[in-house]
Amino acid sequence: GKALVMDEMKVKGSVFLNGGFSANGEIRLHSAVIGGQLNCRGATLANENGKALVMDEMKVKGSVFLNGGFSANGEVRLHSAVIGEQLICRGATLASTNGPALMMDEVKVKGSVFLNDRFSAKGEVRLHSAVIGGQLICSDAAFANENGLALVMDEAEVKGRVFLNDRFSVKGEIRLIGAVISGQRVCSDSAFANKDGKALVMDEAEVKRSLFLNIDSV
């Protein structure tokens, strides 16, 4: 069940679930309003039968930190969340056997999204209809969902660049149907693999600048 429930909570300052914080059960911040940052650096969360961290419709004026060794065994959700600065998941380890590993459908991030520096996800990563005001950086990251979709960005809008490079690897389908990328899309030094289907789908996607597909293997 649930370990900690903070639905509709209002905090004028910051929220820190870090420094060795751990939870076995769902952590909920549904519709929470945070005036500063949400810092979960180094936290260890587990809820193998469901959701590990729920932040649907949450509003954070600062940045959200899921980095510094952050790990979650269970779905991490930010559906329709609004983040005033950046979402930083550098080096995070996410895994889910019952639903997406990371669900960010319709999320709005004013700055950049960092899923890089040995970030790994076992399970679907979803950014359907997400709006990212800066860059999406997935350098040196590993996405795996061999039975289906690994990365979904249908109808997403990225106002900066998208980096799927620097030892980026994926097992499963990457899909960007109808996505709009205002900057460059860089896929150099990348490895795409999907034995049972499509590796990369960009039907009706629009890249306003350059598209670099220097992929090592498909």
Side-chain angles (χ1 to χ4, degrees):
K2 300 174 181 67
L4 179 61
V5 179
M6 298 179 280
D7 294 354
E8 301 182 17
M9 172 185 72
K10 294 179 174 63
V11 178
K12 290 184 179 179
S14 298
V15 174
F16 295 89
L17 306 176
N18 64 343
F21 177 88
S22 66
N24 189 0
E26 183 178 331
I27 302 293
R28 289 183 57 92
L29 294 98
H30 193 296
S31 301
V33 179
I34 300 172
Q37 62 178 248
L38 173 61
N39 191 323
C40 300
R41 181 180 174 85
T44 302
L45 309 181
N47 189 13
E48 296 181 13
N49 296 320
K51 302 171 183 66
L53 180 58
V54 177
M55 300 175 281
D56 294 355
E57 300 180 24
M58 176 185 70
K59 295 180 181 178
V60 179
K61 290 187 179 178
S63 295
V64 174
F65 295 90
L66 307 178
N67 64 334
F70 176 90
S71 67
N73 188 1
E75 182 179 345
V76 175
R77 289 181 57 94
L78 294 98
H79 191 290
S80 299
V82 178
I83 300 172
E85 293 182 7
Q86 302 184 103
L87 173 61
I88 302 172
C89 302
R90 289 191 183 104
T93 302
L94 309 182
S96 177
T97 57
N98 185 18
L102 181 59
M103 153 68 96
M104 297 193 293
D105 289 359
E106 299 180 22
V107 72
K108 292 180 174 63
V109 181
K110 204 168 211 180
S112 297
V113 174
F114 296 87
L115 309 178
N116 63 333
D117 288 352
R118 298 187 180 179
F119 172 92
S120 70
K122 293 183 179 179
E124 186 176 344
V125 175
R126 291 184 56 90
L127 293 97
H128 193 296
S129 300
V131 178
I132 300 172
Q135 303 181 101
L136 173 61
I137 302 173
C138 302
S139 306
D140 191 17
F143 292 65
N145 190 17
E146 298 185 26
N147 297 322
L149 299 165
L151 176 60
V152 178
M153 294 179 58
D154 295 353
E155 299 180 20
E157 180 182 359
V158 181
K159 296 183 180 179
R161 301 177 182 180
V162 174
F163 293 93
L164 308 178
N165 66 333
D166 191 16
R167 298 179 301 279
F168 173 84
S169 67
V170 61
K171 294 180 180 179
E173 183 177 331
I174 296 180
R175 206 173 72 189
L176 295 96
I177 296 174
V180 177
I181 300 170
S182 297
Q184 298 175 336
R185 183 162 186 259
V186 181
C187 299
S188 59
D189 189 19
S190 303
F192 292 6
N194 190 7
K195 295 179 181 179
D196 298 324
K198 304 174 182 69
L200 177 61
V201 178
M202 295 180 61
D203 297 353
E204 300 180 15
E206 180 183 359
V207 180
K208 293 185 178 180
R209 295 185 66 184
S210 301
L211 173 62
F212 299 94
L213 294 176
N214 303 319
I215 301 170
D216 289 343
S217 61
V218 176

